[in-house]
Amino acid sequence: MSMADNLAAVRTRIDDACRACDRNPGEVSLLPVSKTKPPSMVDEAYRAGYRLFGENKVQDALAKSELMDANHPGLEWSIIGGLQTNKAKYVARFATEFQALDSLKIAHELDKRLQKEGRQLRVLVQMNSSAEPQKSGIAPEEAVDFARELAAFDSLDVRGLMTVALNSSDQRAVADCFDLVVATQEKLRQEAGDTSDWSELSMGMSGDLEIAIAHGSTQVRIGTDIFGARDPARTWRP
């Protein structure tokens, strides 16, 4: 199957999932996750109509940006992995979005760098909805205090929440993760609504997108089903 076929197949899954829970398919966007994949594959997805791409590693996204942006009008990059403070200057320079904010230290550094660049950055706060110690993200009980602090950073355009649910065959356990994010979203709207309207929920990947959509996701992040399985021997590096 071609890249366009893969994208169309995933989009059909999203649309079917929306209709199954009486949602408008236009409410849920698809973020192709191009991490470890070469610029040529991003180009194929671009030609199929996609403009925003997710990358885990800043150095990879920056290299692709430098190679591709000039010849791909409207191409944008979303950093979906964790960020070290020494990489914030790069994100501030080229990225459109950062989905893994879970530290005031990072927020401060991004804001400082963005002010110098004269830019704004769309931001999602990452939540650890599964309470797994190895995962990044703020705990639900920290969300309101964290959100209130973000109001001080003018260059951060806070849009909502992102999470990675429990990797489990137990659909109820996965759904519980998404339910917790939605409950936190509502609490943020009530108690930290001056920071954001918290309308965006980046929830769901290849294995759980139907559950995520049924529980309110506004964006799903898909890699393998679009770009193919990751082959360590063919991993792209700048």
Side-chain angles (χ1 to χ4, degrees), residues 77-155:
W77 303 96
S78 176
I79 306 301
I80 62 174
L83 181 65
Q84 298 174 322
T85 53
N86 64 344
K87 302 288 178 61
K89 60 186 176 183
Y90 302 118
V91 172
R93 188 183 305 163
F94 79 96
T96 298
E97 184 174 82
F98 176 51
Q99 292 203 11
L101 184 63
D102 64 356
S103 157
L104 290 176
K105 183 178 180 181
I106 293 295
H108 181 272
E109 189 66 20
L110 279 171
D111 185 63
K112 180 178 73 174
R113 297 291 182 173
L114 287 160
Q115 296 279 2
K116 289 182 178 179
E117 297 284 342
R119 300 182 71 232
Q120 279 205 322
L121 182 71
R122 292 200 307 264
V123 167
L124 301 183
V125 173
Q126 183 172 1
M127 233 184 86
N128 186 345
S129 59
S130 59
E132 295 173 272
Q134 75 275 18
K135 280 186 179 175
S136 300
I138 63 169
E141 61 271 17
E142 299 171 349
V144 171
D145 287 343
F146 184 77
R148 286 173 173 161
E149 295 283 355
L150 295 181
F153 303 115
D154 293 337
S155 296

Side-chain angles (χ1 to χ4, degrees), residues 17-190:
C18 287
R19 284 188 282 266
C21 60
D22 295 321
R23 292 187 63 190
N24 180 347
E27 295 175 358
V28 183
S29 66
L30 168 60
L31 178 66
V33 176
S34 52
K35 63 180 182 181
T36 79
K37 299 302 180 180
S40 60
M41 296 186 80
V42 178
D43 175 69
E44 286 185 66
Y46 177 91
R47 286 187 280 112
Y50 287 81
R51 295 295 180 266
L52 180 65
F53 293 86
E55 289 280 336
N56 268 42
K57 295 187 176 181
V58 175
Q59 62 267 34
D60 292 357
L62 176 60
K64 288 176 184 176
S65 171
E66 291 173 341
L67 285 169
M68 300 184 68
D69 287 3
N71 297 316
H72 294 78
L75 183 59
E76 298 182 334
W77 303 96
S78 176
I79 306 301
I80 62 174
L83 181 65
Q84 298 174 322
T85 53
N86 64 344
K87 302 288 178 61
K89 60 186 176 183
Y90 302 118
V91 172
R93 188 183 305 163
F94 79 96
T96 298
E97 184 174 82
F98 176 51
Q99 292 203 11
L101 184 63
D102 64 356
S103 157
L104 290 176
K105 183 178 180 181
I106 293 295
H108 181 272
E109 189 66 20
L110 279 171
D111 185 63
K112 180 178 73 174
R113 297 291 182 173
L114 287 160
Q115 296 279 2
K116 289 182 178 179
E117 297 284 342
R119 300 182 71 232
Q120 279 205 322
L121 182 71
R122 292 200 307 264
V123 167
L124 301 183
V125 173
Q126 183 172 1
M127 233 184 86
N128 186 345
S129 59
S130 59
E132 295 173 272
Q134 75 275 18
K135 280 186 179 175
S136 300
I138 63 169
E141 61 271 17
E142 299 171 349
V144 171
D145 287 343
F146 184 77
R148 286 173 173 161
E149 295 283 355
L150 295 181
F153 303 115
D154 293 337
S155 296
L156 302 184
D157 179 12
V158 183
R159 297 293 186 91
L161 299 168
M162 182 272 267
T163 200
V164 178
L166 188 70
N167 183 11
S168 172
S169 59
D170 183 346
Q171 294 192 1
R172 182 63 259 170
V174 174
D176 285 345
C177 293
F178 298 138
D179 281 338
L180 184 56
V181 175
V182 172
T184 303
Q185 177 193 43
E186 185 57 33
K187 188 172 184 180
L188 287 166
R189 284 173 166 168
Q190 293 173 2

